[in-house]
Amino acid sequence: MTLSTPSNASRPAAQVAGRGRPPRSAWLERQARWVFPAPAAITLLVLVVFPILYTVWMSFHSWTGQIQTPPQAIGLANYTQALLHDTRMWHAIWRMLIFGGLGIAFQTILGVGMALLFHREFPGKSVVRTIAILPMVTTPVVIALTWTLILNPTQGAIPYIFFKLGLPQVLWLADPKIVLLTLILVDTWEWTPLIMWITLAGLSALPNEPLEAARIDGASSWQIFWQIILPLLRPAIMVAVLLRGIDAIKTFDIIYAMTQGGPGNASETMNIYVFQQAFNYQQIGYASALLVIFFIIVLLLALVLIRLRRAPSWQP
Amino acid sequence: MATMTRRRVLRRSLLTLAFAIMLLPTLAFFYWLVLISLRSDLINSMYPPEFLPHGLTLDNYRTVIAQNSLIKDGFNSLVIAVGATVFGLLIGAPAAFSIARWRQQRFALGILVARIIPAVSYLIPWFVLFSRAHLIDTYTALILTNLVVCLPLITWILISFFEDLPPELIESARLDGCTVYGAFLRIALPLARPGMIAASIISLIFAWNNFLFPVVLSGSRTSTLPLAAFKLLNFASFSWGQLAATAVLITLPIVIISLVVQRYLVSGLTVGSIK
């Protein structure tokens, strides 16, 4: 709202003459390209850049979160401890990559499939599409809570259906070998619609000519899909996959609300592990070092994303 | 001829089946949640579980609404979501305009980085700083932190809307003696209204759903709905019916908004990924 003041003030003056504006408004006018983004830039500087620098600084210190005892500088000790001795961290990184990789694989296959299905005209199209959007806007804690009830071993719906169908009983959230897969499936339930919607947008932007030409040449719909539609959709799908991938490895809500990393550490991803170190064990310095390692990994993935985002424009 | 129609019928039924399979998980999820919320705990704890609606009652809703903490938490969630969205629009709209008009790609990338970095990364410094400033458990802390999620979202959505405006519109306004600021307020903003709506809705939903920040930064005064649901699930000896009723009440506003403004929601969620 602060921006409305200069513009209102300068308007009458500016109307009098495009030739001779008052100096103050002329200065503001020349600086507009800095004035417009300034509030956002300052906000991000204070809320993002400064905390990151502070985290990096903390990562070279030992601090247990007691306000009374100041942090002690310990050099690279946190990093050597984490990278060389902390198997729990490596397991957490590994789980994070599995969670992201497997989740994306499921979501892409299902999401692209749903998009191809929902792209055609059919009665009730908008209702069906709206239902399909609901999982990704539903509060993650509610998703976690509802799946916990559905998967409950004694009164849950799914264990009972498995029992009735004669399938083996699975302890979805209590079996350390299964729990990560369960969480991946919940994540897939939540986010497949995003891939679907992005693919749908890509589909509706497809040029018609190659499809027509292929049809005239007598290509089967299977060939059209694999050899024309999919290659044309690839850029849209790639970007969707990478955006989703970066969000997936940062998943916190459903994991923390459903298992808090358990049983044991069986579903502890990097995000959860850092959170535990910082807020349950109060190892602020050590957690900061873990964070730096974490966001280096995420930024590396982001660089790949940015390169791929640019890629289409390099092509003639 | 007969084989033709049989093939078509087969195709039809296969398609219907595919639709059913695709939508089943979503429908079953909401069906089960609403069903549990409408039944007494006696029925909810039966074995085998009852899949059909019998003996429905609104008692769970009456109970959870009567506990005034839920109303308070809902109010907190609303204040924080609206606060973060309003600030996000005030700050994000000029930034998006600027990025679109002067092609400030580096600034756009900086904002993208803010969206990419895991939110856990900010939490430790925020926690330390907000503790020192005695801002733990205040709206200020929660609105500011949610802004970190909402601002990049809003900016990123609005950039593409401003980029779609023909630059001649702004130029002709300036030839008429309008300043850039006037052109932004009188021409660009009104024309980007669909974008503003899309951005606000998505920002509201993300802030409403946020769970990570209140876990660390809120206390008894500013507890939000997702936090309340989490505590019910993990710490209280809970009643399934009441838990589900709480969950329905949290989700209902979002579902209603999504149904009403589906078009905007989709354009906002998929923007940035297509361009």
Side-chain angles (χ1 to χ4, degrees):
Chain A
M1 259 1 247
T2 47
L3 290 178
S4 68
T5 328
S7 78
N8 285 342
S10 61
R11 198 175 132 83
Q15 270 173 347
V16 171
R19 357 178 176 113
R21 288 182 189 136
R24 199 172 78 94
S25 104
W27 181 84
L28 264 179
E29 186 78 6
R30 272 200 313 278
Q31 303 304 324
R33 66 174 60 206
W34 307 111
V35 176
F36 274 96
I42 293 168
T43 308
L44 291 178
L45 218 58
V46 173
L47 287 174
V48 176
V49 177
F50 174 67
I52 288 173
L53 295 178
Y54 191 78
T55 303
V56 173
W57 181 81
M58 284 299 300
S59 72
F60 298 109
H61 292 73
S62 165
W63 195 39
T64 51
Q66 303 293 326
I67 304 280
Q68 299 88 334
T69 52
Q72 284 182 315
I74 53 168
L76 288 168
N78 283 330
Y79 289 96
T80 50
Q81 167 67 22
L83 295 170
L84 300 179
H85 306 295
D86 194 348
T87 50
R88 191 172 162 186
M89 181 197 77
W90 288 109
H91 286 142
I93 290 179
W94 178 235
R95 280 187 213 105
M96 165 182 92
L97 295 175
I98 295 209
F99 185 92
L102 219 53
I104 288 170
F106 292 163
Q107 289 157 32
T108 309
I109 294 168
L110 286 172
V112 173
M114 280 173 88
L116 291 169
L117 196 61
F118 288 7
H119 183 57
R120 64 183 67 226
E121 288 302 324
F122 55 89
K125 185 174 178 177
S126 71
V127 179
V128 167
R129 285 181 162 203
T130 307
I131 293 171
I133 208 174
L134 290 179
M136 67 173 161
V137 293
T138 303
T139 311
V141 174
V142 167
I143 294 172
L145 176 160
T146 307
W147 282 111
T148 307
L149 298 186
I150 292 175
L151 296 171
N152 182 289
T154 49
Q155 276 103 37
I158 286 183
Y160 180 71
I161 292 169
F162 264 57
F163 169 71
K164 274 285 159 192
L165 293 176
L167 295 167
Q169 281 304 299
V170 180
L171 291 171
W172 297 97
L173 294 170
D175 184 341
K177 289 199 211 70
I178 301 290
V179 62
L180 196 62
L181 184 67
T182 307
L183 292 167
I184 290 170
L185 291 178
V186 173
D187 190 64
T188 301
W189 180 89
E190 184 182 0
W191 288 109
T192 298
L194 183 70
I195 308 269
M196 181 196 86
W197 279 107
I198 293 176
T199 314
L200 271 177
L203 273 173
S204 57
L206 279 190
N208 247 328
E209 297 81 32
L211 300 180
E212 292 294 324
R215 243 173 240 133
I216 290 166
D217 290 347
S220 70
S221 28
W222 194 246
Q223 284 172 318
I224 291 180
F225 171 67
W226 279 106
Q227 290 170 19
I228 300 171
I229 297 185
L230 210 55
L232 282 171
L233 277 182
R234 226 189 55 152
I237 296 176
M238 282 307 273
V239 171
V241 163
L242 282 151
L243 272 181
R244 185 74 268 285
I246 286 170
D247 281 348
I249 63 171
K250 298 191 296 184
T251 302
F252 179 85
D253 296 11
I254 59 168
I255 302 179
Y256 192 76
M258 287 181 87
T259 68
Q260 293 176 57
N265 301 327
S267 61
E268 189 176 73
T269 58
M270 193 61 174
N271 225 354
I272 306 287
Y273 181 44
V274 173
F275 185 88
Q276 303 283 22
Q277 282 287 354
F279 297 106
N280 282 352
Y281 312 150
Q282 313 277 313
Q283 297 295 329
I284 304 278
Y286 189 62
S288 298
L290 293 176
L291 272 181
V292 173
I293 295 168
F294 185 20
F295 64 60
I296 286 174
I297 297 173
V298 175
L299 280 182
L300 283 178
L301 285 171
L303 279 181
V304 177
L305 159 73
I306 288 161
R307 287 191 84 110
L308 278 165
R309 272 180 64 90
R310 282 196 193 133
S313 64
W314 292 340
Q315 289 156 5
Chain B
M1 201 60 196
T3 49
M4 241 343 235
T5 40
R6 199 180 301 154
R7 270 188 69 178
R8 283 189 64 176
V9 169
L10 186 70
R11 232 185 122 127
R12 256 260 142 82
S13 20
L14 275 178
L15 265 178
T16 316
L17 189 69
F19 274 112
I21 291 171
M22 291 296 185
L23 290 180
L24 188 66
T26 306
L27 292 174
F29 172 94
F30 288 105
Y31 174 72
W32 196 246
L33 175 62
V34 172
L35 191 64
I36 291 177
S37 78
L38 290 172
R39 296 197 299 209
S40 71
D41 283 321
L42 196 67
I43 301 180
N44 280 334
S45 59
M46 280 196 314
Y47 190 87
E50 179 61 62
F51 284 85
L52 295 173
H54 288 303
L56 301 186
T57 163
L58 286 172
D59 282 351
N60 294 318
Y61 288 92
R62 288 197 197 96
T63 315
V64 295
I65 291 173
Q67 300 159 351
N68 48 14
S69 70
L70 193 78
I71 304 285
K72 200 193 71 184
D73 293 341
F75 180 74
N76 288 339
S77 280
L78 192 67
V79 169
I80 292 161
V82 171
T85 302
V86 168
F87 278 109
L89 281 174
L90 286 178
I91 299 172
F97 176 79
S98 169
I99 290 169
R101 183 173 159 79
W102 292 294
R103 309 247 158 262
Q104 295 161 331
Q105 297 301 337
R106 286 205 186 146
F107 186 47
L109 272 186
I111 288 176
L112 188 65
V113 169
R115 156 145 175 25
I116 281 168
I117 289 176
V120 170
S121 320
Y122 314 126
L123 266 181
I124 296 174
W126 283 345
F127 180 71
V128 174
L129 294 172
F130 287 137
S131 301
R132 294 238 166 104
H134 301 289
L135 283 173
I136 297 287
D137 199 13
T138 61
Y139 288 141
T140 315
L142 287 161
I143 288 175
L144 275 178
T145 49
N146 271 293
L147 202 53
V148 169
V149 177
C150 295
L151 180 60
L153 270 177
I154 289 173
T155 312
W156 208 248
I157 290 167
L158 285 177
I159 290 173
S160 64
F161 278 91
F162 284 126
E163 275 175 348
D164 288 346
L165 297 183
E168 303 86 55
L169 276 176
I170 305 289
E171 291 314 319
S172 65
R174 299 198 58 208
L175 288 178
D176 290 345
C178 232
T179 61
V180 190
Y181 304 94
F184 169 68
L185 283 176
R186 286 188 186 79
I187 291 155
L189 269 190
L191 285 174
R193 214 173 69 173
M196 303 280 280
I197 297 174
S200 321
I201 292 162
I202 288 166
S203 165
L204 280 173
I205 291 176
F206 270 75
W208 178 268
N209 285 348
N210 187 291
F211 168 60
L212 177 57
F213 301 155
V215 164
V216 174
L217 299 173
S218 89
S220 54
R221 272 180 298 158
T222 56
S223 166
T224 62
L225 284 176
L227 192 59
F230 171 73
K231 283 184 174 155
L232 269 181
L233 178 63
N234 279 280
F235 299 119
S237 54
F238 60 82
S239 131
W240 275 32
Q242 290 174 24
L243 192 58
T246 310
V248 170
L249 289 174
I250 298 174
T251 318
L252 205 60
I254 294 177
V255 169
I256 292 171
I257 291 180
S258 306
L259 294 183
V260 175
V261 295
Q262 191 228 62
R263 189 165 55 94
Y264 293 115
L265 194 65
V266 171
S267 69
L269 280 168
T270 53
V271 81
S273 50
I274 298 304
K275 293 212 153 184

